Amino acid sequence: MNKLFIIKIGGNVLDNPEALKKFLADFASIKEPKILIHGGGKIATKLGEQLGIQSNYINGRRITDSQTLDVVTMVYGGLVNKQIVASLQQLGCNALGLTGADGNVIKAVKRPIKDIDYGYVGDIKPDSVNSSLLYFLLKQNTVPVFAPLTHADGTMLNTNADTIASVLAVALGKHFDVRLIFCFEKKGVLRDVNDPDSVIRHLPKSSYNDLLTKNVFADGILPKLENAFAAIHAGVKEVLIGEASDLTKNTGLETEGTLITS
């Protein structure tokens, strides 16, 4: 099977023009088929505050009311997505910006209200991905660039970018040998959030469960870890969490960061 790199970029990298420029150059240089999924939460938060819309989070996840939905749709699907696509075109990488609604590529359901009402947030399953369309685009040397938005019943839904990356990895596993990489500003999953060098190099599920009970992990890393293990459980062989500046290493044989295994 051909290799496919599914790469999610988030964190402070998106807010740092120089770091983002280097990351996109590294991403464009990857010769194998690739998909990019981006976040953009801090940009949406900043614009929302300028518009008088306060952001609220629970367990690292944004609460999306109707006003917030308008903001994230504009920022994620418009501003951030198109800036990234334009930058990749300049680098000779033929990128196509997408949300889940485009080509009906990712369908979702609005998250049901249980203990918490997350608002207009989408939940997705692997069988909700139009993998045939993505396979066609990849075979045409087109690089999909996903904003963290899906759709259901005619409504856009804010959807965690880590979740989109995980679900895409699972869905495309029947077509490709997938390596899923979560890139952000830290060197990997940290044992001590105050020590940037306390990287956990290998994190099997048993160790993850143990450290979770000890409250070792910061809230912001939990969605990445949950989605990493969801992908592993569904058959994805390789998941890495690491620094965006290490992307070229993490698409080779020698890797940095944290390796997630079953």
Side-chain angles (χ1 to χ4, degrees):
M1 285 182 129
N2 291 334
K3 195 79 175 179
L4 170 65
F5 292 105
I6 295 183
I7 299 166
K8 187 264 178 172
I9 182 65
N12 294 332
V13 178
L14 288 171
D15 303 319
N16 183 326
E18 288 304 313
L20 181 59
K21 181 179 179 180
K22 180 186 182 302
F23 169 82
L24 292 177
D26 289 343
F27 177 83
S29 72
I30 297 170
K31 302 302 182 185
E32 294 84 357
K34 53 190 178 286
I35 294 175
L36 181 62
I37 303 96
H38 64 80
K42 292 183 179 179
I43 300 170
T45 298
K46 181 179 179 180
L47 181 58
E49 289 174 350
Q50 292 173 350
L51 297 172
I53 301 169
Q54 186 66 40
S55 296
N56 296 305
Y57 294 87
I58 297 178
N59 297 328
R61 297 181 185 272
R62 185 188 295 271
I63 304 299
T64 307
D65 58 18
S66 59
Q67 286 185 312
T68 302
L69 179 64
D70 288 345
V71 172
V72 298
T73 300
M74 287 188 293
V75 173
Y76 298 165
L79 179 64
V80 177
N81 187 265
K82 299 315 171 192
Q83 285 181 336
I84 289 174
V85 169
S87 295
L88 288 173
Q89 298 293 1
Q90 184 183 28
L91 293 164
C93 177
N94 188 23
L96 178 66
L98 296 170
T99 71
D102 298 300
N104 198 28
V105 72
I106 306 176
K107 293 183 290 185
V109 294
K110 186 174 180 290
R111 183 170 298 170
I113 300 173
K114 296 180 180 178
D115 296 334
I116 302 167
D117 182 2
Y118 284 99
Y120 293 95
V121 168
D123 288 330
I124 49 181
K125 297 178 181 180
D127 59 3
S128 298
V129 175
N130 186 347
S131 57
S132 296
L133 175 58
L134 291 175
Y135 180 80
F136 172 79
L137 292 173
L138 291 165
K139 286 300 182 181
Q140 298 301 312
N141 295 317
T142 300
V143 178
V145 177
F146 277 92
L149 296 163
T150 57
H151 75 119
D153 302 320
T155 300
M156 298 301 295
L157 296 171
N158 185 16
T159 305
N160 184 271
D162 297 326
T163 301
I164 290 177
S166 175
V167 171
L168 289 176
V170 173
L172 288 163
K174 62 186 177 183
H175 298 297
F176 297 94
D177 177 15
V178 175
R179 178 181 293 182
L180 173 59
I181 305 174
F182 295 103
C183 295
F184 66 149
E185 72 278 2
K186 299 186 185 300
K187 295 179 181 179
V189 179
L190 303 180
R191 187 175 293 274
D192 178 358
V193 71
N194 297 311
D195 180 1
D197 294 319
S198 63
V199 178
I200 302 170
R201 294 296 177 187
H202 180 213
L203 187 61
K205 186 65 181 292
S206 58
S207 297
Y208 167 68
N209 290 335
D210 179 56
L211 294 173
L212 194 61
T213 61
K214 296 176 181 176
N215 295 317
V216 167
F217 305 115
D219 283 349
I221 199 68
L222 288 175
K224 287 181 178 58
L225 290 170
E226 291 169 4
N227 286 293
F229 281 108
I232 290 290
H233 179 72
V236 175
K237 294 179 181 179
E238 299 176 314
V239 181
L240 284 162
I241 299 177
E243 196 168 16
S245 60
D246 286 330
L247 180 61
T248 53
K249 294 180 183 178
N250 287 334
T251 54
L253 296 176
E254 299 294 329
T255 61
E256 299 288 339
T258 301
L259 176 66
I260 306 293
T261 60
S262 58

